[in-house]
Amino acid sequence: MANRNVQLSNLQSCNSPQQTKRVTDSPAAEQVAPNKDSPAPPQTPSAAAEQAEGALEESGEGPSEMTLDITSFRKPGEKTFTQRSRLFVGNLPLDIPEEEFTNMFAKYGQTNEVFINRDRGFGFIRLETRTLAEIAKAELDGTLLNNRPIRVRFATHGAALTVRNLLPAVTNDLLEQAFSQFGPVERSIVVTDDRGRPTGRGIVEFANKAAARKALERCTEGALLLTTTPCPAIVEPSEHIDDEDGLSEKLLQKSPKYLKEREQPPRFAQPGTFEFEYSSRWKALDEMEKQQRDQVDRNIKEAKEKLEAELESAKHEHQLMLMRQDLMRRQEELRRLEELRNQELQRRKQIEMRHEEERRRREEEMMRHREQEDLRRQPEGFKPNYLDNALRLTCLLSCGL
C-alpha cells in the first residue's frame, strides 16, 4: 500500500523542481565511473547534482513522467465494482455538482453508482477495485474542498452475512458454491487464525440485499448442510466494525459529559483511594464475567463433543440399519426370483404334459386311421377278430408310453 501511495504521489509531482532535486540528490546520481588512467577527484553531492542536471539539459531530456497503470491494482479473478469498493464521503459542500464530485475520483479509474445528498452533505461512490478505493480513501480523507475537510470512509456493506458452525473441510469456493443459489455472491471468505487454520466462521457478501435476506430466511427456517456431516451452517447478519480509522478526537462531540470525563489525564489509581477501591470492584466484576464465559464455553464444548459422539454412534446405527434393509431387500429379491423360477418350471412341466398328451392323441388317431384303412382293404365276407385287434392296440399303446 505504501508503494502504491508513493507511485500516486510521484505521478502528481513528477514535473516539479522538488522531484528533480530528489532524483539528482539520490546516491545513484553521486556514482561516477572512474577513469583507469587518472582517477577523478571525489565530487561533492552538489557538484554531482549540477553535472547530472547539465547532462539532462544538453541532451534535451527531462525527468521521465511516471504513469499509473490501473490494471495493475486488480488481482487475478477479482470482481469489480463490488460493495467493498464503495466509499462514503462526508462533510461535502451543499452546492457541490455531481461532475465535480466525480472528478475528485477520476484518477483512480472508472467510477460507478454516484449518489449525493445535498441536504445533509454526504455522498457515495463506487470504484473499480478495493485497492483503488483504499488509495483514494488514504489520499482524499481530510483534504479541503471549498475550505471544508471532507471525510472519506468505506461504506457499510448492507448485504453481508456471518456464517458460523463451519467444518474444517469448508473452503472459500465451497462457501460461494453453497450460497450462490440465493443470488450473486461478491466475496466468500472462511476466516482463519494466524497459522491458516479455519476458525469455523466465514463471511459471505452478496451483490444485493434481496439475496442476503433470502439466504438469511432460508437458513434460519431450514438447515443448510455444506458437507456430508449433518452440521448445519448458522447464518447471522454481519456486524460492521471499523477497526482502521476508529474514533478521532476531532470527530467526537464536546458535550458536558465529555468535558467532565476529560478533566483528568490518564493515570494509575493509587492504593487506598476511592478510585482504587472501585477500580478493584470493576476488575473483580470483569474477572467474574470472564470466569462465567469460560464456564459457558466449557459447557458448550462438552455439549458439542457429546453431540459429535452421539452423531458418530447414530451414523454407525444408521449404516447398520441400511445394511439390514439392503440384506432384507436382497433376500426378498432372491425369494421372488425363486418363485419366478418355480413358476417357470411349473409352466414348462405343464407344456411338456400338454405336448405328451397331444402326441398320444395323435398316435391314437393314427392307429384308428390305420385300422380303418386295414378294414377297407380286407376282402368281403372276412370277419375280423375284434378281440385280437383290441389286444394288439393295447400292446402298441403300452409300448409307446
Side-chain angles (χ1 to χ4, degrees), residues 131-199:
T131 304
L132 292 173
E134 290 176 351
I135 297 174
K137 173 180 175 298
E139 290 195 348
L140 297 179
D141 185 31
T143 57
L144 296 178
L145 183 61
N146 295 347
N147 296 326
R148 300 181 65 172
I150 63 174
R151 181 189 176 193
V152 183
R153 296 289 185 270
F154 280 103
T156 303
H157 201 305
L161 298 176
T162 299
V163 186
R164 297 187 294 104
N165 210 31
L166 298 179
L167 296 179
V170 178
T171 60
N172 300 340
D173 299 332
L174 180 60
L175 199 61
E176 180 175 359
Q177 176 186 353
F179 283 87
S180 295
Q181 59 181 306
F182 307 111
V185 177
E186 292 184 345
R187 192 174 75 111
S188 59
I189 295 294
V190 174
V191 181
T192 59
D193 58 11
D194 55 348
R195 297 184 180 182
R197 297 174 298 188
T199 59

Side-chain angles (χ1 to χ4, degrees), residues 120-355:
R120 303 180 61 181
F122 69 87
F124 291 95
I125 190 168
R126 187 178 299 194
L127 299 183
E128 189 172 1
T129 63
R130 172 79 176 192
T131 304
L132 292 173
E134 290 176 351
I135 297 174
K137 173 180 175 298
E139 290 195 348
L140 297 179
D141 185 31
T143 57
L144 296 178
L145 183 61
N146 295 347
N147 296 326
R148 300 181 65 172
I150 63 174
R151 181 189 176 193
V152 183
R153 296 289 185 270
F154 280 103
T156 303
H157 201 305
L161 298 176
T162 299
V163 186
R164 297 187 294 104
N165 210 31
L166 298 179
L167 296 179
V170 178
T171 60
N172 300 340
D173 299 332
L174 180 60
L175 199 61
E176 180 175 359
Q177 176 186 353
F179 283 87
S180 295
Q181 59 181 306
F182 307 111
V185 177
E186 292 184 345
R187 192 174 75 111
S188 59
I189 295 294
V190 174
V191 181
T192 59
D193 58 11
D194 55 348
R195 297 184 180 182
R197 297 174 298 188
T199 59
R201 300 178 68 255
I203 299 174
V204 178
E205 297 175 353
F206 288 93
N208 52 72
K209 294 182 179 179
R213 185 164 50 251
K214 181 179 178 181
L216 181 61
E217 292 176 355
R218 290 284 304 278
C219 295
T220 302
E221 296 174 357
L224 178 61
L225 304 179
L226 305 183
T227 58
T228 305
T229 302
C231 183
I234 308 301
V235 180
E236 299 171 343
S238 181
E239 181 181 359
H240 179 75
I241 300 177
D242 184 5
D243 56 355
E244 295 181 1
D245 300 312
L247 181 62
S248 62
E249 189 74 24
K250 61 183 180 180
L251 298 178
L252 187 62
Q253 295 182 358
K254 307 303 186 291
S255 61
K257 185 176 181 180
Y258 164 84
L259 297 175
K260 182 178 180 180
E261 290 294 339
R262 299 296 286 272
E263 288 178 354
Q264 297 188 25
R267 64 203 180 279
F268 279 100
Q270 298 297 324
T273 61
F274 171 83
E275 293 178 339
F276 186 83
E277 178 185 355
Y278 277 86
S279 298
S280 301
R281 294 175 65 178
W282 274 111
K283 294 182 67 176
L285 180 61
D286 182 76
E287 183 66 23
M288 183 179 65
E289 180 183 2
K290 180 181 178 181
Q291 293 177 1
Q292 292 182 357
R293 290 182 180 274
D294 293 341
Q295 183 62 37
V296 171
D297 292 340
R298 286 193 296 269
N299 294 339
I300 294 177
K301 183 178 179 181
E302 293 176 358
K304 286 184 176 181
E305 292 176 352
K306 182 180 179 181
L307 181 60
E308 290 176 356
E310 293 177 355
L311 176 60
E312 290 296 325
S313 177
K315 286 172 62 176
H316 291 309
E317 293 180 359
H318 183 67
Q319 291 177 357
L320 290 175
M321 182 185 67
L322 293 179
M323 293 175 63
R324 284 194 294 266
Q325 291 178 355
D326 185 67
L327 180 60
M328 294 175 62
R329 182 183 60 80
R330 291 173 181 270
Q331 291 177 349
E332 182 67 21
E333 185 70 16
L334 290 175
R335 186 185 63 79
R336 189 177 64 84
L337 292 175
E338 186 67 22
E339 290 181 355
L340 291 176
R341 178 175 173 275
N342 294 334
Q343 292 176 4
E344 182 67 19
L345 292 176
Q346 187 70 17
R347 186 179 65 83
R348 290 182 180 180
K349 187 175 181 180
Q350 292 177 357
I351 292 175
E352 290 178 357
M353 292 178 64
R354 285 197 298 269
H355 288 172

Side-chain angles (χ1 to χ4, degrees), residues 107-124:
K107 70 174 182 179
Y108 306 106
Q110 300 179 2
T111 58
N112 192 3
E113 193 187 346
V114 179
F115 170 79
I116 301 176
N117 188 331
R118 292 183 175 84
D119 296 335
R120 303 180 61 181
F122 69 87
F124 291 95

